[in-house]
Amino acid sequence: MGDLVLTFQEIFPGITAKWLIEEVGKRGVGAEAVLRGTGLGPAWLKDKEAVLDADQYRTLVLNALHETGDPTLGLSASRQLNYTSRLGFWGYAILSCATWGESSRIAVQYWDICGSLVRIAFHDEGDTCSWEFTPALRIDSEELYAFAIEKVLSSSLSTIKFATGSPPPVLEARVAYARPKYAAIYKDYFRAELQFQQETNLVRMDASVLKRPVLTASPEINAFCLHQCRTFLDKLQHDDEMVETIRQMIVTSPGDFPTAPRVARKLGLGSRTLRRRLRERNTSYRALLDEVRAGLATKYLTSTTLCIDEIAELLGYAETAAFRRSFRRWTGKTPSAMRKGSSP
């Protein structure tokens, strides 16, 4: 169910970031230190509907890692078996489903609500099923990348155990980053040995996990939480005619993508006004441009015989190496792996 989302988020709900602040607070690190350089403060912490942008999120997590001196901070969530229940209506919607299969569908459908650093795709493969993870924002730091993947893997596996009463039937687990120095402790968190420096971040399980009943199932709570999730997601991902117009302007200009000032002029707006209006819609020109580039790149790789150099040029890259790096950030895969995966 579902394909990998090829877009980067620019705006994130603050719920998971606030959890991290609370977590490091238990270790004696104050919120002020974690928020340093983000422009966020006490009012943001008190705001139940607080959001933060990608730059703020990156700074916040790196501050937490550096202040604690603990590179394994991302694994902390798995030590809280009820971690998911702390993520508001999204978490309670997952924990009130009848089966883990339903929980998986709900988790993916409303994933943007949880404020994660990664995006998720679920694949039902018959006898097996898998969850694949890609960064939701640009990550240039190996330290931050490992934190993001470790957190989503460890919290997901511990949630399955908490919700169904049994450890997940993991068959394999892969991550795209290099083996860290502390990898020996992974055996305490994962039921399968991780494979490092892989093409994707993925965990595969026996499909029987989808039929497991959820111990905290409640149809009434589930219906209420799903309604809240739909309302919040509509607000978070609100789109309109202006955003679609910009997308079309980009799509129809392959190889010569318009700049943000040029787009603003065509819309009869100032550059600052365009930035503000896009921010109000939880996006940015850069995010829309990356979304289109990622979609076009995938289309070219999977349905044409264009070489990678030609695709890079069509997408406005002066160097193929820069395109390869961007594509890896967008999808978690190399262009060659994407093309190979689409071959019959």
Side-chain angles (χ1 to χ4, degrees):
M1 180 186 72
D3 296 319
L4 283 174
V5 180
L6 301 179
T7 59
F8 284 128
Q9 282 180 245
E10 290 295 321
I11 301 297
F12 296 79
I15 189 166
T16 300
K18 289 182 179 181
W19 166 83
L20 180 60
I21 294 172
E22 292 177 8
E23 182 65 21
V24 300
K26 298 173 186 176
R27 308 183 186 200
V29 178
E32 183 178 353
V34 184
L35 293 175
R36 187 181 299 119
T38 65
L40 305 174
W44 180 84
L45 288 170
K46 295 177 182 178
D47 185 355
K48 293 182 179 180
E49 297 185 357
V51 297
L52 69 169
D53 65 31
D55 289 336
Q56 291 170 326
Y57 209 164
R58 275 188 291 266
T59 300
L60 186 152
V61 176
L62 287 173
N63 285 344
L65 289 166
H66 296 161
E67 290 291 334
T68 61
D70 182 6
T72 69
L73 190 58
L75 298 170
S76 299
S78 67
R79 291 196 287 268
Q80 304 169 9
L81 290 180
N82 65 339
Y83 168 77
T84 299
S85 66
R86 301 184 61 185
L87 299 183
F89 292 118
W90 179 81
Y92 284 113
I94 292 170
L95 295 176
S96 59
C97 288
T99 67
W100 187 252
E102 290 182 24
S103 295
S104 296
R105 179 179 61 81
I106 294 302
V108 174
Q109 184 176 357
Y110 297 104
W111 184 262
D112 286 351
I113 292 175
C114 72
S116 177
L117 286 163
V118 304
R119 306 302 296 268
I120 185 173
F122 171 66
H123 307 286
D124 188 341
E125 302 156 342
D127 292 336
T128 64
C129 58
S130 64
W131 289 262
E132 193 170 1
F133 309 100
T134 56
L137 71 173
R138 293 171 184 80
I139 297 181
D140 299 321
S141 161
E142 189 83 4
E143 181 183 29
L144 180 56
Y145 194 104
F147 168 89
I149 300 303
E150 287 172 355
K151 182 178 178 301
V152 71
L153 278 178
S154 62
S155 60
S156 297
L157 298 181
S158 64
T159 296
I160 292 175
K161 182 178 180 180
F162 173 77
T164 69
S166 299
V170 178
L171 301 176
E172 67 169 326
R174 312 177 205 156
V175 294
Y177 57 88
R179 181 183 181 88
K181 295 179 180 178
Y182 54 84
I185 72 170
Y186 279 177
K187 65 179 183 296
D188 298 329
Y189 296 91
F190 306 116
R191 296 181 61 81
E193 185 172 346
L194 264 66
Q195 303 172 51
F196 296 95
Q197 294 183 300
Q198 301 297 301
E199 294 288 348
T200 63
N201 304 291
L202 178 144
V203 59
R204 178 168 284 111
M205 301 182 196
D206 188 291
S208 61
V209 70
L210 302 178
K211 297 180 181 179
R212 288 185 184 180
V214 174
L215 303 179
T216 51
S218 170
E220 294 80 9
I221 292 177
N222 188 255
F224 175 74
C225 290
L226 286 180
H227 173 73
Q228 297 299 322
C229 285
R230 284 191 290 270
T231 301
F232 188 27
L233 190 62
D234 286 343
K235 179 179 180 181
L236 185 68
Q237 296 185 328
H238 175 67
D239 207 344
D240 67 4
E241 186 176 345
M242 186 183 77
V243 171
E244 185 56 33
T245 298
I246 294 173
R247 284 198 186 102
Q248 290 303 313
M249 291 168 63
I250 299 172
V251 168
T252 55
S253 306
D256 183 28
F257 296 116
T259 62
R262 189 166 135 204
V263 167
R265 286 195 298 272
K266 286 189 175 182
L267 293 174
L269 302 172
S271 295
R272 185 174 297 178
T273 301
L274 176 64
R275 286 196 299 271
R276 175 175 58 79
R277 291 193 179 180
L278 289 177
R279 185 180 179 86
E280 289 171 354
R281 291 156 175 81
N282 304 311
T283 189
S284 69
Y285 181 72
R286 184 175 66 179
L288 295 175
L289 178 59
D290 279 341
E291 175 186 339
V292 172
R293 275 178 157 173
L296 289 174
T298 301
K299 179 179 179 180
Y300 293 150
L301 289 165
T302 57
S303 61
T304 77
T305 58
L306 291 169
C307 70
I308 293 175
D309 289 344
E310 291 172 321
I311 294 173
E313 185 176 354
L314 280 173
L315 295 178
Y317 286 91
E319 298 181 357
T320 302
F323 164 64
R324 292 180 187 274
R325 289 192 296 271
S326 294
F327 191 80
R328 183 69 176 264
R329 288 197 302 271
W330 292 332
T331 68
K333 299 180 180 181
T334 64
S336 298
M338 176 64 74
R339 171 157 280 171
K340 182 178 179 182
S342 67
S343 300

